[in-house]
Each structure stands twice: as structure tokens, then as C-alpha cells.
Amino acid sequence: MFLDVLMRRNPRFIEAAMALHQSGELPPNSYVLDLDAVERNARHFSDKAKSLGMKTFAMTKQVGRHSGFCAAVKRGGIDRSVAVDMDCAISCHRAGLRTGHLGHLVQVPRGDAGFAAAQLKPDYWTVFSDQKATEAAAAAAKCERTQNLLARIQTEGDTFYRGHEGGFAAEDVAKVADFIDTLDGAAFAGITTFPALLFDQDSRKVVPTQNLATLSRAAEALAATGRDQIEINAPGTNSSVILPALADAGATQCEPGNALHGTTPLHAIEDLPEDPAVLYLSEVSHHHGGNAFCFGGGLYIDPVFPKYDLKALISSTPTSTASALTSVEVPDYAAIDYYGMIDATGPIKPKAGDTVVFGFRGQAFVTRANIVGVSGVSTGSPRVTTIEDIFGRPTGWPERALT
């Protein structure tokens, strides 16, 4: 779905990745990042957010918390991350992004609260319950800190992905704020939800969920008690063109993830300001039964669209032309993605060692893929910066260490 956008708007990136693979500098099973484009995207996004008075925290999980990605985002004006979990926070902190927001989507485990308070010192820490608020406050108090807490709120009819549920009753938000302020080491800072925005298949637009209205009503209830200077964190399907609508709804914080590499659903159907800056690269391994098999490991396609005819570019030389496209079948999510299966019965005749380039919306952090930074695409001198695992640690490829 996103390969067409890559071919039209960033063909030099595709060709650079293919050339680097063919020269032996880039391994298969790699999410490859155009760091020049990431920096441009971050700058555009952060400038727009600042003009609207919004704080910006970068979500990095989709591209495996790559240190070069974090550095590019920082150069673009975003110096803080939103961490999906503790591993994410540590990886981003190590890469130079301070922790702007922790605890949402994944709550901080009890045993990690002390480390989070003492070492990460997040600007904001989301809690779903009295118990989690008490744990965060106690950890901060031991460090002689006052931790800003965001209360995740919800009410009947709000939207949750299955397995993401949780939060305080929105109707009790004033009591929740008062309770948090009684805790030594904590201060009530505001409210949050997820997702505040979603892509609608029928209208092909990004639309607000009921959750955003829930935030607005809760903010009004808090203002009625004198709490009219609170933070409103409203993540989900952010791109720079959506920010004015979020600001109009009262949001003070935004958390771009896929926007930073041009892979929100809206990027697939409209040419937005952010350029496509990520691709997935593989290599043909062998043939069987009319198919050419390419290495997998990172073939997790975030299902924001119904299933479609997945295509890839296959070539032994750099190309971004449609004549190199052919269909590819990837394993069902219930299976392990050892390989993708390329249709070898048509005009494209893949050979072992050929480069395979996909463009899809990934979630690298749930895969076993490499994450590779490439700089210099914009100047015509592309080079690999670092090859890292999904925790932002160098893999050492192509050298392998057994100790």
C-alpha cells in the first residue's frame, strides 16, 4: 500500500537501499530508514505543533527505537519521546531523547517504578488506577521529586483496541485529580486517552473517536473546579495536517510516530507534507513450486487497511520502476514469517540474491528485524550509519560475535 508512495516521492531512497544491499553493506530482513527525510519530517511536524502551542513527543517503536532515527528526530526539533514501555524509554534515553511521556500505552511495572522515577525522570507519567498512581508517587517521593501524572480516562462507548483497555471513569475525573494531588511525590497534570483519532475506511479520512469528546467533557468538568490549566494528551494517527483539529479540541500534547516516516493511513491515499522515509528490504533465497522465497523476520504489516494485493520491487540492480513489481504472499499472523512467497510465474523472474523492497506500515518492535539508518540520500551520497536490533543496539553485522 505504501510502496506506490515511496516510488513516486522517494525513488532515490529505494535505489540507494537496493545498491547498498547488492554491495553487501545492508542485510536482508531490514527496516531501512532515510534519516535525511526523517529529519525533514520531524522539523515540519514540530514547527507546526509549536505554532499551535502543542508539546511533541516522538513515538519510535514502529522503527525499533533506532539511535540514528532518534538523533534525526532530535535534529528536527523533537527532543523527547513517548515510550510505549520501559524498554522503549531506556532505548530512547540511551539515544539522546529524554522521556517526555511514560506509562501509556503500557503501565510501568511495580518493580520498575523506582528506576523510572530516579533515572528516566519523565515529564509526564500516565496512570490507569489509584494503585498505579500510588506506586508512581511513592517512587518519585523517594527521589525527592514531584512527578506530573496524567490520568487515563474512559467511559462507555469509548474506543479501545482489544488488550488496550483501562483507565479511570471519566465521570470521576475531578475526584481522581484530587486524589492524585493528595499523594506525596505526585501532582495531577492532566488527562489522556487512546486513540483520539482513527482512520475511517469508508470516508478515507482521519476522524475523531468518541474518546476525544470524552477528553473535552472531562476538561470542562475539571475547569469547573478551577483546574483550567491542564495537559490534554490526545495521541493516535497524528500527522501535521491533523494538528489544527486536535488543537481546536483542546489538545496540548501530540505524539507522532508513523508521521515521522510518512506511513499513517492518510499518507497512503494523500500526498501529505511528510515524505515516506522507511522501507522493508529482503533478499531472494530459493525457489519452490512457482514461487521465489524471500527472507522474512519483519513481515508484520500493521492491519490499518483490509487485505490487499501486496507487491514488492525485485531486482539485482537499483530500480524504482513499476516494471520490477510483482505480487508477494506473506504468512498469516498465526504463522512465523520465515519467508515471503514471490510469484515467479509472471514476467518477473527473481534470482537468488536479488533485492526485494516492500513498502508497508510496519511495527518493527514486535519483529526480529534489523533496523538500518541510511544518511546522504538527499545529497546523492547514501551510506549506512548503523545496523541495530529492535532495542536500538548495534548488531555487529556483518561480523558475528559468539561471546
Side-chain angles (χ1 to χ4, degrees):
M1 185 65 77
F2 292 90
L3 187 54
D4 173 67
V5 184
L6 270 167
M7 292 166 64
R8 287 190 297 103
R9 296 187 56 183
N10 204 350
R12 289 198 297 176
F13 173 42
I14 295 173
E15 293 162 12
M18 283 186 156
L20 289 166
H21 171 250
Q22 286 295 318
S23 66
E25 298 173 68
L26 200 159
N29 183 30
S30 291
Y31 286 90
V32 188
L33 296 161
D34 179 349
L35 298 179
D36 300 356
V38 169
E39 182 178 343
R40 292 195 305 270
N41 292 344
R43 183 172 294 110
H44 176 82
F45 192 101
S46 61
D47 286 349
K48 184 66 175 180
K50 286 175 185 174
S51 75
L52 296 167
M54 301 176 76
K55 300 178 179 68
T56 304
F57 307 138
M59 178 64 83
T60 68
K61 66 184 175 73
Q62 294 95 342
V63 291
R65 306 99 177 215
H66 186 275
S67 65
F69 176 83
C70 293
V73 164
K74 190 173 182 178
R75 291 194 300 270
I78 303 173
D79 65 356
R80 284 162 167 75
S81 75
V82 49
V84 70
D85 54 23
M86 288 295 294
D87 288 326
C88 193
I90 292 167
S91 298
C92 291
H93 185 90
R94 187 170 56 230
L97 290 180
R98 291 184 56 188
T99 305
H101 186 192
L102 181 66
H104 192 212
L105 299 165
V106 179
Q107 292 282 272
V108 176
R110 182 181 64 233
D112 283 326
F115 176 84
Q119 302 296 323
L120 298 175
K121 301 177 182 177
D123 294 340
Y124 300 95
W125 183 329
T126 284
V127 292
F128 291 11
S129 64
D130 288 353
Q131 180 177 343
K132 284 300 179 186
T134 301
E135 289 173 7
K142 287 183 180 179
C143 306
E144 299 182 344
R145 292 181 56 237
T146 298
Q147 177 63 56
N148 285 325
L149 296 184
L150 299 178
R152 199 222 223 176
I153 59 171
Q154 51 78 37
T155 194
E156 185 176 354
D158 280 0
T159 296
F160 288 105
Y161 293 111
R162 183 63 176 149
H164 290 204
E165 298 91 346
F168 296 96
E171 296 76 13
D172 297 335
V173 68
K175 293 179 181 178
V176 171
D178 290 343
F179 169 73
I180 288 174
D181 277 342
T182 67
L183 299 173
D184 184 25
F188 176 78
I191 51 179
T192 185
T193 187
F194 180 81
L197 301 170
L198 278 179
F199 180 76
D200 179 68
Q201 298 285 355
D202 295 330
S203 67
R204 296 174 73 82
K205 300 290 183 184
V206 174
V207 298
T209 64
Q210 178 182 291
N211 305 36
L212 190 58
T214 299
L215 285 181
S216 296
R217 289 194 301 272
E220 291 171 1
L222 289 165
T225 68
R227 296 179 185 270
D228 56 358
Q229 298 295 317
I230 64 166
E231 296 288 334
I232 300 178
N233 177 274
T237 321
N238 285 172
S239 65
S240 59
V241 298
I242 302 301
L243 293 181
L246 277 181
D248 287 346
T252 64
Q253 298 179 6
C254 53
E255 298 180 344
N258 291 92
L260 298 173
H261 32 87
T263 56
T264 76
L266 202 57
H267 283 89
I269 60 174
E270 294 184 21
D271 282 348
L272 304 186
E274 299 92 3
D275 289 319
V278 63
L279 58 82
Y280 179 75
L281 183 141
S282 186
E283 174 185 307
V284 175
S285 166
H286 63 279
H287 291 76
H288 178 78
N291 287 321
F293 286 65
C294 65
F295 296 105
L299 294 171
Y300 177 89
I301 303 174
D302 198 354
V304 293
F305 293 110
K307 288 188 176 181
Y308 55 92
D309 181 17
L310 180 66
K311 293 183 181 294
L313 291 165
I314 294 96
S315 180
S316 59
T317 57
T319 183
S320 55
T321 62
S323 60
L325 284 171
T326 193
S327 296
V328 184
E329 178 187 352
V330 298
D332 184 81
Y333 294 134
I336 299 172
D337 64 327
Y338 292 121
Y339 296 101
M341 290 72 74
I342 304 165
D343 179 11
T345 62
I348 305 298
K349 303 300 182 185
K351 304 182 299 296
D354 280 0
T355 305
V356 183
V357 168
F358 295 87
F360 54 70
R361 174 184 163 103
Q363 292 284 350
F365 81 118
V366 297
T367 74
R368 59 189 190 282
N370 304 291
I371 321 295
V372 183
V374 174
S375 67
V377 171
S378 62
T379 60
S381 54
R383 66 176 186 88
V384 171
T385 59
T386 58
I387 300 171
E388 301 177 5
D389 64 17
I390 60 170
F391 299 104
R393 299 173 300 203
T395 64
W397 191 92
E399 302 298 328
R400 301 292 188 180
L402 296 178
T403 58

